[in-house]
Amino acid sequence: MALSSPGLGSNLDVNSIISQLMSLEQRPLTALSQKEASYQAKISALGSLQGTISALQTAAGTLVPATGTTATQKFTVFATTLSDYSVAAASTSSSAVAGSYSLEVNQLARQHSVASGTGAVTPFSGTGDTLPLGGTLTLSLDSLGGSSPHKSTDISIADGATPETIRDAINGANAGVSALVINGTAGKQLLLTSNDAGSNQFIKLSGIAGLAYDPDAAPAPSDTFVQSQAAQGSAFKLNGIAVEGVSNQVSTAIDGITLNLLKGPESPATALSTTLTISKDHSSLTTGVNALVKAFNDFSSTASSLGTYNAATKTAGALNGDSTLRTAQNSFRSVLGNIPAAVAGSSFQRLSDVGVSLQKNGTLSVDSTKLSAAISKDLSAVANLVAAFGSAFKDAAEGLVGSNGLIAARRAGITTSIASLGKQSDVIVDRLEGIEARYRKQFTALDTLISGMTSTSNFLEQQLAILPTYSL
C-alpha cells in the first residue's frame, strides 16, 4: 500500500491550514466554554452569598425566644457568686430574684451502704463459699418507710453464684447501685452502695432468700445484709431558715435557684457557712446584638464584593448586576427600615433607638454606651425590640436561603443553563468533526491535483529540453 501525507506532493502545509481553519470554526465552542465558566463562577458566588446569609439567619435566630417564653425571660439571666465556692455551687432560671443570701450547711446527703453478713448469716453458705440457690433478685431504691420505689430492677442470679458473679450481675444491671467484693478477715463480703446520695436512696433486696435486706424492718431475722451506712438527705439554712433536701442538689428552697451542696461541717463544727449573691446579667442581650451586627456586616461586605465593578480595570464581581444579589440586599435593608409590628408604639421601635445604626458604607455599628443605657432604662423594651428584629431578619433570610428560597431557585436555573450549554457543545463538537473531515478530504484532493499538475509540468519541461534546436 502506498503511503501519503497531505502536502508532500504539493508542498502545501495542509495540517497548518486545516488547524487554522478549525480554530475559526471552534469559536462558537470557545464562546460556550467561556459562558459555562461564567455560570460556574456565579454558582460559586451564590454559595458564598448563601453562607453569609445563613450565618446572619443563625445570629438572628438566637435572638428569638422559644415558644412560651417572653423576650424578657430569654434575656433575663442571673449570675451567681459565692464567697466560698468549696461549700456550694448554684444555678438560676429566669424566675430567680436578685439578692444576697446567707447559706449555712449543716449536713450533706449520704449514700446508703449495706454489706453481706458473716458467720451464720452469710448468704454464701454453699459449696466453696457460693450462694446455694439463685433466682430473680429485685433491687429497689426508695425512701425509708416508702412503698413506691423510684427505681426497681430485676436481676437474674444463678444457683451456686460466687460473690464475684453476683457483683458483676448487679453492676451490669444499671440498678443505681455499685457492688464490690471485699475479702476481709471474716471472709468475702458483698458491699452494695447506692450511686447517689440522698434520703430516697435506701437499698432494698428481695426475691432470693439468701440475698435479703429490708431497711424498714432491720434488723430482721431473714436479712443476710447489714447496714454499714444509712442514707440521709441534706440539711442547711438559708437566711437562718432551716431547709431539708432529699439530696445535695436542691431546687425547691427558693424559686429559680438550684443549690448543689459540696461540703459539710467536720466535727466538732456543726455548720459551714458561705454567702450566695444573685445578680442580673445582661451580657446575653448585648452579646446577641453584637453577633447580629457582625453577621450583617459580613453579609454586607460579601455582597458588596460580589456586586462590585472596577471601572479602571473593567472587571466586575461574579454577581454584578445580578437580580438575586440586589433582592438580598434590598430585603435586609427593608428589615432595617421598617418598624416591626410587635414593637409599634413601644418606647424603642428602631435599632437605632438602642445604639445600632446604619453607616454610609452599608454596615452597622453598635454604640455600646447607648445600648447599656437603654437596657438599664427598660430591659423589657430592649429585649422585645431585639427579638422582633431577630425574627424579621430570620424570616427574610429564610426567603433567600431556605430550601425553596430565591438562591436555591437561582442556582437551579443556572444549573439547567449549564446542562443546556453542554448539549449545545456536544452538537458543535460533532459538527466540527464533520467539518474537519471535509477539509481534509478537500485538501487531499487539491494536494493530489497539484501533485499531478506538477508531474506533468516537469515532464513537459524535460521533453522541451531535449528537442533539437534549429538556427536560421
Side-chain angles (χ1 to χ4, degrees):
M1 179 182 290
L3 300 176
S4 64
S5 179
L8 289 180
S10 61
N11 292 323
L12 290 175
D13 191 351
V14 175
N15 286 330
S16 177
I17 294 172
I18 293 176
S19 177
Q20 294 179 53
L21 289 172
M22 290 307 298
S23 294
L24 296 175
E25 295 287 354
Q26 288 174 349
R27 284 181 177 177
L29 188 63
T30 301
L32 288 178
S33 297
Q34 293 173 342
K35 195 169 186 178
E36 180 179 350
S38 70
Y39 280 155
Q40 293 289 2
K42 282 185 181 293
I43 287 180
S44 178
L46 287 170
S48 298
L49 183 66
Q50 180 173 351
T52 60
I53 295 175
S54 295
L56 177 56
Q57 183 182 33
T58 299
T62 61
L63 303 177
V64 181
T67 302
T69 302
T70 66
T72 303
Q73 290 173 330
K74 176 177 176 59
F75 295 113
T76 301
V77 180
F78 291 91
T80 62
T81 57
L82 291 106
S83 58
D84 187 346
Y85 283 95
S86 69
V87 176
S91 60
T92 62
S93 68
S94 60
S95 59
V97 177
S100 182
Y101 307 87
S102 64
L103 172 62
E104 183 181 289
V105 180
N106 306 112
Q107 173 182 290
L108 287 182
R110 293 194 308 185
Q111 299 161 288
H112 190 211
S113 292
V114 295
S116 60
T118 59
V121 294
T122 179
F124 306 111
S125 58
T127 304
D129 296 328
T130 60
L131 181 71
L133 295 175
T136 299
L137 172 67
T138 300
L139 192 159
S140 60
L141 295 169
D142 200 352
S143 301
L144 195 62
S147 58
S148 300
H150 61 84
K151 188 174 183 66
S152 183
T153 308
D154 288 338
I155 306 169
S156 294
I157 305 296
D159 294 346
T162 65
E164 290 79 8
T165 302
I166 299 173
R167 173 200 63 195
D168 295 341
I170 293 175
N171 288 338
N174 190 29
V177 171
S178 296
L180 179 68
V181 174
I182 298 178
N183 192 8
T185 57
K188 291 182 178 180
Q189 290 182 263
L190 184 62
L191 178 67
L192 306 182
T193 305
S194 61
N195 292 342
D196 298 322
S199 58
N200 63 345
Q201 297 297 316
F202 279 93
I203 300 170
K204 182 177 181 179
L205 303 172
S206 61
I208 299 177
L211 299 176
Y213 178 76
D214 186 349
D216 296 319
S222 61
D223 285 351
T224 54
F225 280 77
V226 293
Q227 179 173 276
S228 56
Q229 176 175 283
Q232 69 179 25
S234 57
F236 57 97
K237 292 181 180 179
L238 276 171
N239 287 0
I241 299 176
V243 181
E244 291 184 352
V246 171
S247 67
N248 287 321
Q249 182 170 299
V250 183
S251 58
T252 56
I254 304 177
D255 286 344
I257 300 177
T258 297
L259 294 173
N260 188 14
L261 306 180
L262 305 174
K263 185 178 180 182
E266 295 182 5
S267 181
T270 58
L272 195 59
S273 301
T274 185
T275 300
L276 170 66
T277 303
I278 308 296
S279 59
K280 288 186 177 181
D281 179 9
H282 305 308
S283 61
S284 64
L285 181 53
T286 56
T287 298
V289 170
N290 281 290
L292 177 69
V293 168
K294 181 183 182 303
F296 178 88
N297 288 345
D298 288 344
F299 159 76
S300 180
S301 175
T302 298
S304 177
S305 175
L306 294 174
T308 190
Y309 179 77
N310 190 319
T313 61
K314 295 183 180 180
T315 56
L319 296 181
N320 176 259
D322 191 278
S323 61
T324 302
L325 176 63
R326 291 196 304 271
T327 299
Q329 290 174 313
N330 291 335
S331 293
F332 293 131
R333 287 170 184 162
S334 177
V335 170
L336 289 172
N338 293 326
I339 297 174
V343 295
S346 174
S347 56
F348 299 133
Q349 301 182 39
R350 299 181 183 277
L351 289 176
S352 58
D353 294 337
V354 296
V356 180
S357 57
L358 185 65
Q359 307 300 294
K360 291 182 179 180
N361 62 359
T363 62
L364 293 174
S365 68
V366 181
D367 183 336
S368 56
T369 301
K370 188 174 181 179
L371 177 59
S372 296
I375 292 173
S376 298
K377 178 182 178 181
D378 194 338
L379 170 65
S380 294
V382 177
N384 289 335
L385 176 74
V386 170
F389 272 96
S391 180
F393 271 112
K394 181 182 177 182
D395 291 344
E398 178 63 23
L400 296 168
V401 299
S403 58
N404 297 317
L406 182 62
I407 291 180
R410 180 75 173 112
R411 293 176 71 171
I414 294 176
T415 300
T416 300
S417 296
I418 290 175
S420 177
L421 291 179
K423 293 179 181 179
Q424 294 179 50
S425 297
D426 291 342
V427 172
I428 292 176
V429 169
D430 291 341
R431 183 171 63 82
L432 289 177
E433 290 177 355
I435 292 174
E436 182 175 3
R438 187 175 75 249
Y439 278 152
R440 289 194 176 277
K441 181 177 181 181
Q442 291 173 341
F443 277 98
T444 298
L446 176 62
D447 180 47
T448 302
L449 177 62
I450 293 176
S451 177
M453 294 176 66
T454 299
S455 297
T456 301
S457 174
N458 291 337
F459 174 76
L460 291 175
E461 184 178 353
Q462 291 173 357
Q463 293 303 312
L464 291 173
I466 62 176
L467 288 176
T469 58
Y470 297 93
S471 59
L472 298 177

